[in-house]
């Protein structure tokens, strides 16, 4: 075996730096200056300008010359659309969820945040367990669900406030859910402190759920994984379920290339 095939390929600094720039732009709320990118990523300005120029030529970045700002281009949008079409999160999550359901003996689901709702993208039913409303494609208020609460608690505070900007955003939420920004802040505090989210009867009377957020490599919550079970389960068995859900969330993070907990 020759030395090339026996060893890992040498990393490409330019490729790594370009990908870091794209990832950084994807986390911004709007176009930013090249100097801000250089400062955030600790890269030389000359390097950032050179890479931005190449990416602009290829359509990955758009240069707003009058404002001297850079944002994601159409090719980057096409990549995100391709990601959605290929449903990699659902494909990667299905076997993880299947293993969770086998171990827990309860039904499980994987959901993503969409506006003020969660959308269920994978559903795995355990044998002889109650019928659930959380089927694939179903939308439910994020504030009422364990998955939604887990994702909201993992969001940066500014982003969460953008989703629920004031009291008007809480007017149509179900009973048992936070009904004001202050109540949501307290729920977020408790969820972060415990490391998991829960709901009991907010979605279906007599059923409870626990959920843990799934983060990508930037720490952004891309989804949440949960199990649903009868409310009468004792505290010890609930704690065991939380452990299984956290284990599944960590495994899915590994699969999607997320940061280790």
């Amino acid at each position: 075996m020759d030395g090339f095939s026996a060893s890992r390929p040498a990393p490409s600094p330019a490729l790594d730096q370009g990908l870091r720039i794209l990832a950084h732009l994807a986390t911004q709320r709007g176009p930013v200056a090249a100097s801000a990118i250089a400062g955030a990523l600790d890269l030389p300005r000359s390097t950032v300008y050179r890479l931005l120029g190449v990416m602009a030529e290829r359509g990955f970045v758009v240069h707003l010359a009058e404002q001297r700002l850079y944002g994601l281009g159409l090719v980057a949008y096409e990549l995100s659309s391709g990601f959605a079409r290929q449903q990699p999160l659902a494909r990667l999550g299905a076997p993880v969820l299947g293993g969770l359901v086998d171990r827990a003996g309860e039904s499980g689901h994987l959901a993503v945040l969409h506006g003020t709702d969660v959308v269920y993208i994978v559903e795995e039913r355990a044998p002889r367990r109650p019928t659930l409303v959380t089927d694939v494609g179903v939308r439910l208020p994020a504030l009422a669900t364990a998955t939604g609460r887990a994702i909201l608690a993992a969001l940066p505070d500014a982003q969460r406030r953008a989703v629920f900007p004031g009291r008007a955003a809480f007017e149509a939420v179900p009973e048992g859910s936070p009904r004001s920004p202050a109540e949501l802040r307290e729920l977020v505090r408790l969820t972060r402190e415990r490391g998991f989210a829960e709901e009991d009867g907010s979605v279906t009377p007599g059923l409870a759920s626990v959920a843990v957020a799934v983060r990508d490599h930037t720490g952004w919550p891309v989804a949440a994984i949960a199990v649903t079970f009868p409310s009468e389960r004792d505290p010890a068995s609930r704690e065991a379920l939380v452990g299984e859900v956290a284990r599944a969330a960590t495994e899915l993070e590994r699969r999607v290339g997320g940061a280790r907990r």
Side-chain angles (χ1 to χ4, degrees):
M1 182 178 294
D2 59 50
F4 177 81
S5 58
S7 60
R8 296 179 61 184
S12 169
L15 176 59
D16 178 71
Q17 292 163 348
L19 292 174
R20 287 175 61 200
I21 290 172
L22 286 175
H24 178 72
L25 287 174
T27 66
Q28 304 306 297
R29 300 188 65 178
V32 296
S35 58
I37 298 172
L41 301 181
D42 194 23
L43 293 173
R45 289 194 184 189
S46 58
T47 298
V48 171
Y49 277 111
R50 176 173 54 81
L51 291 173
L52 286 171
V54 173
M55 288 188 284
E57 289 179 3
R58 299 291 185 177
F60 287 91
V61 166
V62 60
H63 181 208
L64 306 177
E66 294 82 1
Q67 300 168 282
R68 298 182 180 180
L69 300 177
Y70 292 85
L72 291 177
L74 288 176
V75 174
Y77 174 77
E78 290 168 359
L79 287 176
S80 67
S81 299
F83 180 93
R85 288 193 300 271
Q86 294 177 21
Q87 297 182 306
L89 188 57
R91 293 174 185 269
L92 292 171
V96 174
L97 195 63
L100 170 62
V101 170
D102 288 343
R103 296 191 303 271
E106 301 287 358
S107 297
H109 35 265
L110 182 69
V112 297
L113 188 68
H114 193 276
T116 59
D117 295 334
V118 288
V119 178
Y120 293 89
I121 62 173
V122 183
E123 184 78 18
E124 184 74 24
R125 302 293 171 87
R128 297 177 296 279
R129 303 313 292 162
T131 300
L132 305 178
V133 300
T134 53
D135 208 349
V136 173
V138 167
R139 300 173 66 104
L140 290 176
L143 292 174
T145 65
T147 49
R149 293 173 180 183
I151 296 172
L152 290 172
L155 282 175
D157 292 339
Q159 183 65 30
R160 190 182 66 257
R161 287 193 295 268
V163 177
F164 292 96
R167 285 190 172 274
F170 296 84
E171 291 178 354
V173 300
E175 289 294 330
S177 305
R179 307 304 291 268
S180 70
E183 290 184 10
L184 177 55
R185 286 195 299 271
E186 177 62 13
L187 177 64
V188 165
R189 184 190 68 78
L190 289 173
T191 301
R192 290 175 175 175
E193 185 177 280
R194 293 181 301 199
F196 68 93
E198 64 180 353
E199 64 83 16
D200 195 336
S202 295
V203 177
T204 303
L207 295 179
S209 299
V210 292
V212 175
V214 176
R215 302 172 186 264
D216 66 12
H217 69 286
T218 70
W220 189 267
V222 294
I225 194 166
V227 291
T228 297
F229 50 90
S231 295
E232 64 265 20
R233 285 193 73 138
D234 62 272
S237 64
R238 285 194 182 207
E239 185 175 347
L241 282 178
V242 169
E244 291 294 348
V245 174
R247 174 182 168 187
T250 299
E251 170 61 15
L252 185 51
E253 285 182 351
R254 185 191 67 79
R255 288 174 174 244
V256 301
R260 293 186 178 181
R261 293 179 182 272

